[in-house]
Amino acid sequence: MQTRIEVGILGATGMVGQHFIKFLQGHPWFDLKWLGASDRSAGKKYRDAMTWHLGVVPETVADLTVDDCKPGNAPRLLFSAMDASVATEIERAFAQAGHVVVSNSRNHRMEQDVPLLVPEINADHLKLVPGQQRARGWKGQIVTNPNCSTIVLTMGLAPMKQFGIRRLICTTLQAISGAGYPGVASMDIVGNVIPFIGGEEEKMQQETQKIMGEFRGDHIEPLAAKVSAHCNRVAVVDGHTVTVSVEFSSKPSEADLRHAIDSFTAVPQERALPSAPPRPVIYMEEANRPQPRKDAERERGMAAFVGRLRACPALDYKFIALGHNTVRGAAGAAVLNAELMHSEGMLD
């Protein structure tokens, strides 16, 4: 039996931090021992430092004393749920001090030497890390996971990458939990659609090209495809839905695409990583699936669900994809990234 690795969370009192705590309960490899937050929370018991929104506060963390988000007492492996307004300097300070920072924050995602990781798609992008450490003089490192809507899109596209993605247009129907707490005012979202989420379309377009790009020694060559995104907030609690139209260079048949989806597996499944779903992309035959309420929670929220694959009169094919935005799109994504890193010997 392997020794469990002590881990900590930066930004532990916020909604993403709470999702990290919930997801890490009972983890076979990682033992949550340290919680970091802002000055106003530091020194308090965790149960007194925040308002818990996910049921009952786990007893494993309720009486932990919250620390400052400063290097010193934290374990080497840290999951970052820091708000973007403060994440840059804090994450860099910990990496400089020798910590492995696996971040859900957007701040470092598009930096040339930082992996933007979806283990089923681009595990080889971890090869950027030694160059990152040399260039920045860091003993530690920063690895990021994508935006919550980008991960649903790229997981849905992953089995199809082999056919040469040339152009894609996607429209999101994003859950309110993606806006954090308190999020969107009820008078704005109930019975309504908000057709704007600040920065979201740009993130989806740029991150997709980086994630699905190729490792070229010291950088990632972005996917050459043109990506157009429309992002909308809808009155759904959990689960981001994305409708996608895509054009391919090799003109596969519908049967080719279905076979690619149904047979898709990758490094996390081959290595049986603890948080990896047995099938990362699951095709649903029903004409009215996937649906957030029925499907987002399945497979512990770690799989992507695809349906309605059919010919597209404007491009080649169109389909719908769904994923759990706070699990596969946030906390679960970062934990799976750390599991992959451990399997590569990067946490030794």
Side-chain angles (χ1 to χ4, degrees), residues 143-336:
V143 172
T144 64
N145 57 268
N147 180 48
C148 48
S149 50
T150 304
I151 204 160
V152 178
L153 172 64
T154 54
M155 290 280 287
L157 289 170
M160 308 176 191
K161 185 184 174 186
Q162 61 187 291
F163 302 111
I165 297 167
R166 293 181 61 183
R167 288 191 293 176
L168 64 95
I169 298 171
C170 60
T171 299
T172 70
L173 308 167
Q174 295 182 222
I176 55 175
S177 57
Y181 190 91
V184 186
S186 61
M187 284 290 285
D188 290 335
I189 195 64
V190 173
N192 198 21
V193 173
I194 301 172
F196 175 74
I197 305 171
E200 200 82 353
E201 292 169 353
E202 295 80 4
K203 283 186 274 188
M204 282 195 80
Q205 290 163 183
Q206 296 166 2
E207 291 179 16
T208 296
Q209 291 168 325
K210 181 173 179 178
I211 292 161
M212 305 198 80
E214 302 297 327
F215 175 72
R216 295 284 186 249
D218 61 350
H219 69 285
I220 304 301
E221 187 71 35
L223 182 73
K226 293 181 178 178
V227 182
S228 177
H230 309 261
C231 294
N232 307 274
R233 187 77 70 193
V234 299
V236 167
V237 177
D238 290 313
H240 285 356
T241 302
V242 187
T243 62
V244 187
S245 286
V246 59
E247 180 182 86
F248 299 103
S249 56
S250 67
K251 306 306 174 190
S253 68
E254 188 172 326
D256 292 333
L257 291 170
R258 276 300 308 275
H259 176 72
I261 295 166
D262 292 338
S263 60
F264 181 68
T265 188
V267 174
Q269 287 71 40
E270 292 157 14
R271 296 185 186 172
L273 301 181
S275 299
R279 292 178 57 205
V281 183
I282 296 172
Y283 191 84
M284 308 197 76
E285 302 283 355
E286 299 92 334
N288 63 349
R289 301 283 281 279
Q291 295 179 21
R293 191 182 296 173
K294 294 182 177 180
D295 302 311
E297 298 276 355
R298 294 172 58 191
E299 304 294 325
R300 288 189 70 211
M302 287 298 287
F305 297 89
V306 171
R308 301 205 67 212
L309 177 68
R310 61 215 190 274
C312 175
L315 300 181
D316 289 332
Y317 290 93
K318 52 187 175 178
F319 64 92
I320 187 166
L322 167 75
H324 199 302
N325 53 295
T326 62
V327 181
R328 189 63 210 237
V335 174
L336 183 61

Side-chain angles (χ1 to χ4, degrees), residues 96 111-114 128-141 218:
Q96 175 79 42
E111 294 183 5
Q112 181 171 297
D113 57 359
V114 176
L128 288 172
V129 167
Q132 175 195 116
Q133 292 173 312
R134 284 194 302 272
R136 300 179 185 237
W138 287 351
K139 300 185 185 112
Q141 59 196 261
D218 61 350

Side-chain angles (χ1 to χ4, degrees), residues 22-68:
K22 183 178 177 183
F23 194 82
L24 285 165
Q25 295 305 298
H27 195 283
W29 293 3
F30 301 143
D31 192 8
L32 180 56
K33 290 293 191 183
W34 183 90
L35 302 173
S38 64
D39 294 347
R40 65 178 177 272
S41 299
K44 297 179 182 177
K45 299 289 187 190
Y46 184 69
R47 69 167 82 243
D48 301 323
M50 53 80 229
T51 302
W52 184 261
H53 299 290
L54 305 176
V56 178
V57 183
E59 286 300 318
T60 53
V61 298
D63 290 320
L64 286 181
T65 300
V66 177
D67 212 340
D68 276 327

